[in-house]
Amino acid sequence: MALRPGARIPVPTDVVFPHGVFAAGVAPVMSFTDGKSTGMQELDAHTSQPVWAVSVIDADPELPAKLKSFVVKVSAPYQPVLPDPQIPGLPFVPVLFEGLTVTPYVDNASKRLAYSYRATGVGPVITVGAPQARSGRVTAPAAE
């Protein structure tokens, strides 16, 4: 079966971001018609849910600086809430994306292959061996 234009290919977060990914903020994606804002939030064409833009930074040390920062669009009925920072005061939070998909496309400006990332949710990074609290937040393992 061939992939159709606009196909959303499911991928695990750790495959797309093997060095991790950090979120910096969440904002609604506004809808545009003929290049003009409609003043309304964009709705996902597949789910009809509002679309939110999660600004992220890829932690891959080999990526050029201009490719490290981009947006993952999250389709959800309510604005996603980023996990608490693991280091107080740090503006970037390590995250995992739920239902992450990638859609390859050709960028009209550069005529190069590009990727669009979408997800159904965003959550905290769970450290292996760390017990998980009832709230879903990760707690540090007990000292030996």
Side-chain angles (χ1 to χ4, degrees):
M1 175 179 141
L3 291 176
R4 296 174 192 236
R8 295 180 183 181
I9 305 164
V11 289
T13 300
D14 61 343
V15 169
V16 177
F17 307 110
H19 298 278
V21 62
F22 295 84
V26 180
V29 175
M30 301 311 290
S31 178
F32 286 81
T33 301
D34 297 326
K36 295 182 181 182
S37 175
T38 63
M40 299 183 64
Q41 189 169 359
E42 182 179 312
L43 298 179
D44 186 294
H46 294 175
T47 66
S48 298
Q49 292 185 335
V51 179
W52 309 90
V54 179
S55 299
V56 300
I57 298 171
D58 191 331
D60 186 340
E62 295 180 16
L63 276 179
K66 66 180 181 178
L67 298 179
K68 285 184 165 283
S69 174
F70 52 94
V71 165
V72 174
K73 291 183 177 180
V74 175
S75 300
Y78 304 103
Q79 180 171 340
V81 177
L82 297 179
D84 292 334
Q86 294 178 348
I87 301 172
L90 187 67
F92 308 109
V93 182
V95 294
L96 290 175
F97 286 100
E98 301 158 9
L100 184 64
T101 63
V102 62
T103 301
Y105 67 96
V106 176
D107 182 349
N108 289 332
S110 68
K111 303 297 183 208
R112 294 185 179 193
L113 182 62
Y115 302 95
S116 172
Y117 297 99
R118 289 187 171 264
T120 57
V122 60
V125 172
I126 309 254
T127 306
V128 175
Q132 191 171 353
R134 288 181 197 253
S135 66
R137 292 191 177 91
V138 177
T139 58
E144 294 182 21

